[in-house]
Amino acid sequence: MTAMVYGDRLRQARTLRHEKLGDIAAALECVPSTLSKWEHSEKVDLPTEHLDLLSKRLRFPVDFFLNEPTEKLMDSDLLFKAPKSTLKREKDFLKEFMRFTAELIDWLDSRRRLPPVAIRPNVTGVATIAEAASSARENLGLERGRPIDYLTHPIERAGIVVVVRRRRIDEIVDDDGPSMPLERHEGCSTWIGEFRERPLILMRSVSSWEKTRWVLGHELGHLVLHSSGMRLTETAEEEASQFANELLAPIEAVSEELPRAITLTTLVETKMRWGISLAALIRHLHYNKVISDQRKQTLYAQLYTRRNPETGRSYGVTEPGWNDRPLERPRLIAAWLNHTIGSVVPEAISNAAGLWPSDLISEIVTEQREAPRNTRANPKMDNLPSEPGRVIPMLARNRDAHSRSR
């Protein structure tokens, strides 16, 4: 017996499992060129024993290979500039993981809608990065000259999906499995959906609250300033970094509060008030000519030579106040799952969808803050103030009319 499978699904599953073409071909007892031909075919008629072997080896349900795939993401669709040392297979993995995440979101959105998207890419250009950040604050419902207590929440309320990905421990330490490359990216973003109408931010899980907030602001900067499909350069990366600094700590407001003597010690209070790292704050002050080149160099030298007595590491590794604020984590997907299937347990989600393995789903949901249960969606909540503890409002959809198997 045979089964008609989608070639793109073979490649997608293999990429998500970090498996090499030759290894899978050997398991199927065929040459790599044959497997490559299958992966680049729209459909391929495989013996059921091959399909069962692929399902077991790649740890994907059989139905995944039989279901029509979604549109591929290209390199240019990812709004991030990977370090030069980033391996091609890491870039390929990021594309496929974001594509997998987009498919899960599409499946959920067919059951209950997300809040409308409150931002649009401004690729025609604005006068300054500061104006772009100020406009973003307005669109997110944030006051111009006030610190942002919890950046993740207003971003999610604006309809932007945020995923903090935690890699599975067994992938990192299992000597019997495929070799795992060291991940060099901190975050990336793209527009997903049938018409690329929904922004998605994917971040790697880190233990620094300062880094988490800054990377989130940086990726928001890409979504606001740069269009999908453009080749990101060093200039684009610098623009996104300036955007993140200005979004977190508007220079006009921060300058009014700075102490007369700007030292590493006096900047700690500014850092904690505005929720921005000392390193980013020093760059921000220098870019806006608040401090001189020499003062910047002196502050940076102190940052990487002074030792944090709590950790024994330099301030450049663990800054003062490194554990004085909680790590920000998203909750939109958790709230969404509770609204739709009543659970955030990866196995329950996998069983409900029938397409994706629970361990990959866990990489999306493990770092989500679980939303309160039994909370009804209420459109009037859209006008309520943004607070870390408030549930993201979502609108019900007709399940019979919109449910899809994909």
Side-chain angles (χ1 to χ4, degrees), residues 239-290:
E239 289 173 350
S241 297
Q242 293 167 12
F243 178 96
N245 294 338
E246 183 65 25
L247 179 76
L248 291 169
I251 194 63
E252 185 176 339
V254 169
S255 297
E256 295 177 355
E257 301 177 5
L258 287 173
R260 179 171 297 181
I262 299 179
T263 66
L264 209 58
T265 301
T266 59
L267 285 180
V268 171
E269 183 178 348
T270 305
K271 162 195 169 163
M272 297 305 299
R273 170 165 165 74
W274 290 94
I276 184 173
S277 71
L278 286 174
L281 182 58
I282 293 169
R283 290 197 302 271
H284 191 34
L285 296 178
H286 177 259
Y287 174 79
N288 288 283
K289 298 180 170 43
V290 177

Side-chain angles (χ1 to χ4, degrees), residues 376-390:
R376 294 184 179 180
N378 183 358
K380 295 181 180 180
M381 290 176 66
D382 286 332
N383 298 321
L384 294 177
S386 296
E387 299 173 6
R390 200 175 288 282

Side-chain angles (χ1 to χ4, degrees), residues 109-166:
D109 195 42
S110 68
R111 288 150 175 80
R112 189 175 290 268
R113 289 182 299 183
L114 270 174
V117 177
I119 68 162
R120 288 290 183 271
N122 187 357
V123 294
T124 58
V126 292
T128 64
I129 298 295
E131 288 184 4
S134 177
S135 177
R137 272 183 168 253
E138 182 178 352
N139 291 335
L140 295 176
L142 299 168
E143 296 183 49
R144 287 189 178 184
R146 296 285 299 277
I148 304 172
D149 292 334
Y150 207 93
L151 178 61
T152 309
H153 187 63
I155 285 179
E156 289 189 301
R157 284 181 63 88
I160 303 168
V161 181
V162 178
V163 172
V164 177
R165 174 176 168 258
R166 180 194 290 181

Side-chain angles (χ1 to χ4, degrees), residues 184-247:
R184 293 163 175 82
H185 76 284
E186 293 177 335
C188 56
S189 50
T190 191
W191 293 81
I192 62 174
E194 184 179 359
F195 303 105
R196 295 289 195 262
E197 73 280 4
R198 177 73 58 186
L200 167 64
I201 295 176
L202 172 67
M203 300 191 297
R204 181 163 52 88
S205 177
V206 296
S207 58
S208 165
W209 65 263
E210 306 106 314
K211 176 65 73 174
T212 300
R213 282 168 60 91
W214 190 86
V215 171
L216 186 57
H218 182 93
E219 294 307 323
L220 180 63
H222 278 314
L223 290 169
V224 170
L225 298 172
H226 309 126
S227 65
S228 180
M230 69 180 291
R231 182 178 178 83
L232 294 191
T233 62
E234 293 291 348
T235 299
E237 281 295 287
E238 181 60 27
E239 289 173 350
S241 297
Q242 293 167 12
F243 178 96
N245 294 338
E246 183 65 25
L247 179 76

Side-chain angles (χ1 to χ4, degrees), residues 333-363:
I333 291 179
W336 208 352
L337 286 164
N338 274 322
H339 274 295
T340 53
I341 67 172
S343 176
V344 293
V345 176
E347 290 76 13
I349 303 166
S350 178
N351 290 335
L355 293 180
W356 310 293
S358 60
D359 63 320
L360 281 180
I361 293 173
S362 72
E363 294 192 45

Side-chain angles (χ1 to χ4, degrees), residues 9-70:
R9 289 299 200 188
L10 301 177
R11 187 192 58 81
Q12 186 181 14
R14 182 176 61 79
T15 302
L16 286 170
R17 292 305 187 192
H18 300 280
E19 289 276 13
K20 296 178 181 178
L21 186 75
D23 293 340
I24 299 301
L28 295 174
E29 298 182 346
C30 67
V31 296
S33 60
T34 298
L35 178 56
S36 178
K37 181 180 178 181
W38 290 347
E39 290 186 353
H40 288 86
S41 300
E42 180 181 0
K43 291 183 179 181
V44 58
D45 199 20
L46 287 184
T48 53
E49 57 267 26
H50 278 22
L51 179 57
D52 290 339
L53 191 152
L54 283 167
S55 176
K56 183 177 180 180
R57 173 67 181 259
L58 298 174
R59 306 193 306 281
F60 270 81
V62 167
D63 283 350
F64 175 81
F65 302 98
L66 305 178
N67 229 267
E68 184 179 359
T70 55

